[in-house]
Amino acid sequence: MKVAQTILGEKLFTLLMKYTFYGHFVAGEDQLKILMKLMRAVLGDRLFVYLMKQTFYGHFVAGEDRIRIVPTLTRLRSFGVKPILDYSVEEDLSQEEAEKREVEASVSSAGTDLAEDSADSLPQYSVDKTFADRRYKVQSARTYFYLNEATCERNMETFLECLDAVKGATFGTGITAIKLTALGRPQLLLQVSEVIMQARRYMMDLAGSTGNILTHHKTIQDLERYLGNVSDKAEVKEFLKKVTSDKDGILHLFPWTGIINEDCQLSETFRVPDPVTGQMRRLISKIPPKEEEMFRNMIRRLNTIVKTAQDLDVRIMIDAEQTYFQPAISRITLEMMRRYNTEKAIVFNTYQCYLKDTYKEVCTDLEQAKRQNFYFGAKLVRGAYIEQERARAAALGYEDPTNPSFEATTEMYHKTLTECLRRIRILKDANVDPKKIAIMVASHNEDTVRFAIEKMQEIGIHPEDKVICFGQLLGMCDYITFPLGQAGYSAYKYIPYGPVNEVLPYLSRRAQENKGVLQKIKKEKRLLLTEITKRLAKGQLFYKPKGKYVPI
C-alpha cells in the first residue's frame, strides 16, 4: 500500500482503494450514507424508495417531478402559502472527485497570476485545495461542481423546466431559485470578484477613505484631478469616456452594463490608468479566447433563464454563495436587475447577514437601483457558509469576513431590514410605487419574523402592499409560515423536488442540519408533540387539515 500510494499519489490511490480493497470491506465514509446503503440492501430498491417517501423524503421534498409536486403546492396555496421551487438533484461526488473538479475548473490555462503591471493579487480570490470541496462545513446549501460546458447547458435546461413548473402550478405567484455556479466555470467568477475588489481599492485611493464610491459622490472631474498630468493621454481619455456617472457622481469605473452582453471581452474591459505613468494596466489576467467564450456562455445561459422568467411572469432568486464568488455574483445579478426589473422585481439578489459588509452592500445596491431607476429585489438570509468562511480566512491569512457572534448577525439582519423598510416608506410618502423595493425575509427565527412585522406596522407598510414577503423551508417552522399566510402576508416555502435517489445527497445534509436545529427549536418540538397527542386522543393520527384561504 505504501509503495502504491507513493507511485500513484494520494488521490489515485484513494480512488483505487474505494473500488477494490476498501470498497469490499468498508461500508463508506459517511454515517448517513452507510445507513441508506444498509437500508437499501435490506429492503430492496422499491421498498426503500417507498419508505423514504413516507418519512424523510416525504417531509422535506414535494415530489419527484413537476406533476407529482402539484398536490403539495395546492395544499400550501389553500393556506395562503406560495412556493419557491428548487430542483434539488445533486451529484453524489466523493471528496476527492469534488476537489479535483474544483481545482481544475478554478485555474486558468494562462496561469493564476494577475498581469505583472497590476496590483498584488488577493489571497481570498484564489483556489485552495483544502477548501476545494465547497460542501465542507456546509449543510443546507446545494453545491454544483463544474465538469464541462455541456453540464452547464443541462443545468440551464433544468432551471428552465423549473420556471415552467412554477408557472404551471402557481399561477404566476411562484419563485425559482438558481445558483450561478451551476451555469459556468468558477474560475471566471473568482477573477471577476477579484477585479471588483481591486477596483474598490483603486477608488478608495481616489476618495481618500473607505467605503463604496457611490457614497462619496466623486465626479469625473475628481477622477481627472486624481489622474493629474496623465489625464490628457489618449487611452486615459478613452477610459474616462466609459466611466458610468450621473449628476450625483461616479457610479462605476467600468461599463458594467456591457458585462451581461454576450460579446463582452473581460480582458479588455477591466483596465485602469496608473495615476503616475498613465499606462493602462489590467486588473485581471489575460484570459484565453476559450475562457472568454466560457464567460459569454455563462452570461447567455443566465440571460436565457431571466428572459424566460420575465416572459412567464415568474420571479428568480439568485442564491448567495461563498464570499470569493459573491462580488461577481452580486454584480452580474444587479446588471440583470437593471435590464429586466424595469416594471417589476423579476430578479432578486441574496444577502447573507452573517457577513460584516452586508448592510453596506445592501445600501450601495439600493442606491444604484434608485440612481439607475430599476426595481430592486433582495432576499435576506443569515447565511449558509459561516463555518467554512471562518476556517478558510484563518487558513489563507485574510480578514475573517463574518460577524463575531449570532447576536451580531441578528443585529446586522435587523439593521439591514430596517433600512429597506425605511426606503419603502419614503417611496410611499413620495407617491412612488413602493414595489420599487421588494424584500424577502427568509428566516426560521421567530424573533426576526416578529421584528419584521412590528417594523412594518410601525412604518406603515401593510401586508396588502406586497413589498415584504417571508420564507421558510418546506418541513420546517410551519408554525411561523402558515399563520403568516393565513393573516394575509406573502408567505413562501422553499420547496425542493426531484427523484428520490438523486435528492438523497441533499437530504443527507439536511438531516445533519436538522439534528442541530432540532436541539435548539424547543418550541416547535413542543408544538409538534402537543399536536401528535391531540390526534392520538381523538383517533386522528393521519388527519390532514384543509385550508380555505382567500387571497387579499
Side-chain angles (χ1 to χ4, degrees):
M1 285 188 173
K2 284 180 180 178
V3 171
Q5 192 165 9
T6 303
I7 294 171
L8 298 173
E10 187 179 344
K11 283 187 177 180
L12 194 56
F13 173 74
T14 302
L15 189 65
L16 180 66
M17 286 295 100
K18 283 187 175 181
Y19 282 100
T20 55
F21 194 54
Y22 174 96
H24 184 73
F25 292 108
V26 184
E29 298 169 272
D30 181 276
Q31 291 179 16
L32 193 65
K33 288 179 181 176
I34 293 170
L35 179 61
M36 298 286 187
K37 286 179 182 177
L38 291 174
M39 289 172 65
R40 191 188 297 274
V42 172
L43 300 173
D45 276 354
R46 292 180 67 179
L47 193 55
F48 171 75
V49 168
Y50 176 78
L51 180 65
M52 287 293 102
K53 286 183 177 180
Q54 298 305 312
T55 53
F56 194 48
Y57 173 96
H59 186 71
F60 291 109
V61 184
E64 294 177 276
D65 54 43
R66 56 183 297 178
I67 305 300
R68 292 182 174 92
I69 65 176
V70 170
T72 299
L73 301 188
T74 302
R75 182 167 177 272
L76 289 173
R77 190 166 63 246
S78 74
F79 289 99
V81 178
K82 293 169 277 192
I84 305 170
L85 280 190
D86 182 20
Y87 190 70
S88 297
V89 167
E90 279 186 20
E91 288 183 277
D92 192 10
L93 298 177
S94 67
Q95 180 182 335
E96 292 79 13
E97 178 62 22
E99 288 175 354
K100 179 175 179 291
R101 281 201 198 178
E102 188 71 3
V103 170
E104 289 177 354
S106 298
V107 178
S108 170
S109 58
T112 57
D113 295 330
L114 292 175
E116 61 275 3
D117 58 344
S118 70
D120 294 336
S121 62
L122 304 173
Q124 185 173 354
Y125 303 99
S126 58
V127 67
D128 185 90
K129 182 181 179 297
T130 309
F131 300 93
D133 185 351
R134 286 183 276 116
R135 299 167 301 184
Y136 174 66
K137 292 182 178 288
V138 176
Q139 294 165 345
S140 59
R142 275 187 308 121
T143 305
Y144 291 89
F145 291 97
Y146 181 86
L147 179 60
N148 51 41
E149 292 295 287
T151 304
C152 295
E153 288 292 321
R154 286 196 295 273
N155 290 337
M156 180 190 73
E157 293 297 332
T158 298
F159 289 138
L160 291 174
E161 289 172 11
C162 200
L163 285 171
D164 206 36
V166 169
K167 176 64 176 179
T170 65
F171 310 104
T173 61
I175 301 171
T176 294
I178 69 170
K179 279 189 180 293
L180 205 51
T181 48
L183 300 176
R185 189 178 173 90
Q187 163 223 334
L188 301 165
L189 294 175
L190 283 170
Q191 287 182 290
V192 173
S193 291
E194 181 161 12
V195 162
I196 290 167
M197 303 315 290
Q198 296 280 16
R200 287 186 184 179
R201 280 185 169 187
Y202 187 86
M203 291 310 295
M204 280 161 52
D205 290 339
L206 162 65
S209 61
T210 59
N212 194 284
I213 190 62
L214 265 70
T215 62
H216 295 295
H217 300 285
K218 293 294 180 182
T219 64
I220 297 289
Q221 291 71 34
D222 291 324
L223 184 53
E224 286 176 346
R225 281 192 290 273
Y226 174 69
L227 294 172
N229 296 329
V230 302
S231 60
D232 290 333
K233 289 195 171 186
E235 282 189 310
V236 176
K237 283 184 176 180
E238 190 62 28
F239 166 79
L240 290 169
K241 282 181 187 176
K242 294 178 180 178
V243 171
T244 308
S245 65
D246 62 9
K247 61 182 177 59
D248 292 322
I250 295 171
L251 277 143
H252 307 300
L253 273 185
F254 308 113
W256 285 109
T257 53
I259 200 173
I260 58 171
N261 295 330
E262 290 163 29
D263 58 352
C264 172
Q265 293 287 328
L266 292 179
S267 295
E268 299 308 313
T269 299
F270 301 122
R271 302 196 307 153
V272 295
D274 186 285
V276 177
T277 66
Q279 183 180 355
M280 298 300 291
R281 71 178 191 226
R282 287 195 183 95
L283 294 180
I284 194 169
S285 57
K286 183 71 176 174
I287 298 177
K290 183 178 179 182
E291 290 168 17
E292 288 274 11
E293 184 182 356
M294 288 177 179
F295 183 78
R296 291 195 293 273
N297 283 338
M298 178 169 64
I299 296 301
R300 172 183 55 77
R301 292 176 193 120
L302 185 58
N303 264 316
T304 301
I305 291 167
V306 179
K307 181 68 171 67
T308 303
Q310 186 182 51
D311 293 343
L312 294 174
D313 193 23
V314 174
R315 284 167 289 176
I316 280 194
M317 284 184 168
I318 298 180
D319 284 343
E321 303 195 45
Q322 286 87 349
T323 51
Y324 45 90
F325 292 138
Q326 197 54 45
I329 292 171
S330 290
R331 182 74 264 150
I332 292 168
T333 302
L334 276 170
E335 289 308 314
M336 289 291 168
M337 282 190 206
R338 189 191 55 78
R339 174 177 287 186
Y340 294 100
N341 288 10
T342 54
E343 296 178 0
K344 62 192 297 187
I346 298 289
V347 182
F348 282 65
N349 197 10
T350 302
Y351 297 88
Q352 301 190 100
C353 292
Y354 67 64
L355 297 173
K356 293 174 184 174
D357 288 339
T358 298
Y359 174 77
K360 184 173 69 177
E361 295 291 336
V362 171
C363 288
T364 298
D365 294 350
L366 280 164
E367 187 65 21
Q368 183 185 335
K370 177 184 174 184
R371 286 167 65 171
Q372 294 196 305
N373 193 31
F374 58 81
Y375 283 70
F376 177 78
K379 178 174 72 169
L380 301 182
V381 299
R382 274 182 166 76
Y385 306 98
I386 187 165
E387 289 184 49
Q388 184 187 107
E389 293 283 6
R390 286 175 173 170
R392 192 175 188 270
L396 300 189
Y398 59 86
E399 184 184 351
D400 184 351
T402 68
N403 286 314
S405 65
F406 178 83
E407 290 73 23
T409 295
T410 298
E411 183 182 348
M412 177 67 74
Y413 198 120
H414 292 181
K415 180 181 178 182
T416 305
L417 175 59
T418 300
E419 176 63 17
C420 294
L421 292 169
R422 184 187 72 82
R423 287 179 180 250
I424 292 170
R425 180 71 229 184
I426 290 171
L427 292 174
K428 286 189 73 172
D429 290 343
N431 289 322
V432 177
D433 185 3
K435 292 181 181 178
K436 293 281 277 191
I437 299 173
I439 305 296
M440 170 168 280
V441 179
S443 176
H444 295 116
N445 186 289
E446 186 178 340
D447 292 333
T448 291
V449 173
R450 186 179 289 109
F451 175 87
I453 292 170
E454 289 172 353
K455 276 293 175 185
M456 287 173 67
Q457 293 170 347
E458 180 185 315
I459 293 175
I461 297 169
H462 309 294
E464 56 267 28
D465 290 333
K466 302 295 182 186
V467 293
I468 302 293
C469 54
F470 298 85
Q472 288 84 36
L473 285 164
L474 182 70
M476 292 179 66
C477 295
D478 288 352
Y479 75 98
I480 293 176
T481 317
F482 282 75
L484 283 170
Q486 291 171 94
Y489 291 90
S490 288
Y492 284 82
K493 281 292 193 187
Y494 192 97
I495 299 177
Y497 75 102
V500 176
N501 291 326
E502 295 175 52
V503 174
L504 284 180
Y506 165 84
L507 281 177
S508 68
R509 292 204 312 279
R510 176 65 66 219
Q512 293 167 18
E513 180 189 29
N514 274 33
K515 182 180 178 182
V517 169
L518 287 172
Q519 290 170 354
K520 300 172 187 175
I521 49 175
K522 295 178 182 178
K523 180 174 182 177
E524 183 160 14
K525 287 193 288 186
R526 176 169 51 79
L527 289 169
L528 288 169
L529 184 60
T530 302
E531 181 66 16
I532 290 170
T533 305
K534 282 182 181 178
R535 293 186 185 188
L536 283 171
K538 293 180 179 179
Q540 296 180 322
L541 187 60
F542 298 103
Y543 164 70
K544 281 192 176 181
K546 294 182 179 178
K548 298 178 181 178
Y549 173 73
V550 178
I552 293 177

